[in-house]
Amino acid sequence: MSGATPSASPASAREAAYRRLRAEILSLELPPGTAISEKDISLRFGVSRTPVRECFVRLAQEGLLDIYPQRGTYVSRIDAHLVEEARFLREQLEAAVVRLAAADGLDPVSLAELEANLLLQQSCLDDGQDGSRMFRLDEEFHARLFAACGKSHTWSVIGSAGVHLNRSRRLRLAADPDWRHLLEQHRAILQAIRERAPERAERVMREHLQLVRLDRARLAELYPDYFRM
């Protein structure tokens, strides 16, 4: 019996390539407009070109890659119209969830988890410059809020619709490392939930999610090559 370690299955190689390339696009490690090729990605990831080709198709279906026959493949530019649609969807659903959380109240464990998240956000702010970590903590805060209300599936719907929105949000964190206003709004949201104040919780949440709209024009000016208007 051979002692060699079995190689990864084609399905696992395809999934690994997809997840890695998707993460690099969403994190802006591969900026909008970057040219990529099956050959380069297969060499860099250490997989054959077939799973890379398949993950290219999948990412193109998600709107993260633009594939032009005979011309090449490029990381898609951030679509400003899709950013606004995703922001609109997220605002409506998050307003409803935070209102529910404040009206019904949250259990002590959920409140403690949200508070712990805010402490980590404060630590990230104190350390400075780690936009990726702040983005993850921001997402975790909102995800925990949905989970605490029994709406985790709704949160997954927001995530699947928000790839352009999330790239815009990451760009904003990188462009402006002063994240105090974000943290202050998160604290105000949690305080409104603790005080069972649904109207205030909803108002602060809507103000919080309007930041994307206010930032979009500025980001398009700073990074004109990153956006499709």
Side-chain angles (χ1 to χ4, degrees), residues 64-184:
L64 291 174
L65 288 181
D66 292 325
I67 300 175
Y68 301 104
Q70 313 306 320
R71 290 173 51 195
T73 298
Y74 300 84
V75 176
S76 68
R77 287 177 167 78
I78 300 170
D79 190 312
H81 299 290
L82 293 179
V83 169
E84 173 54 25
E85 280 199 36
R87 187 212 60 78
F88 175 81
L89 172 67
R90 183 164 178 169
E91 180 181 335
Q92 308 317 309
L93 295 176
E94 294 232 32
V97 163
V98 78
R99 189 178 184 93
L100 177 65
D104 293 351
L106 297 183
D107 62 274
V109 172
S110 295
L111 289 171
E113 289 175 345
L114 289 166
E115 186 61 49
N117 174 275
L118 294 185
L119 291 174
L120 290 173
Q121 288 188 38
Q122 180 64 63
S123 173
C124 186
L125 192 151
D126 292 340
D127 294 341
Q129 303 302 318
D130 193 346
S132 293
R133 182 178 174 222
M134 189 65 182
F135 178 84
R136 289 193 299 271
L137 290 171
D138 186 349
E139 287 289 278
E140 181 184 296
F141 177 84
H142 291 269
R144 286 188 180 278
L145 185 56
F146 274 73
C149 294
K151 307 297 182 188
S152 291
H153 179 69
T154 306
W155 175 253
S156 68
V157 170
I158 290 174
S160 64
V163 292
H164 288 272
L165 172 62
N166 286 340
R167 284 197 292 166
S168 180
R169 291 172 56 221
R170 282 180 179 266
L171 192 59
R172 189 265 182 192
L173 289 172
D176 181 6
D178 185 358
W179 309 316
R180 285 174 294 181
H181 189 48
L182 294 175
L183 179 55
E184 288 167 1

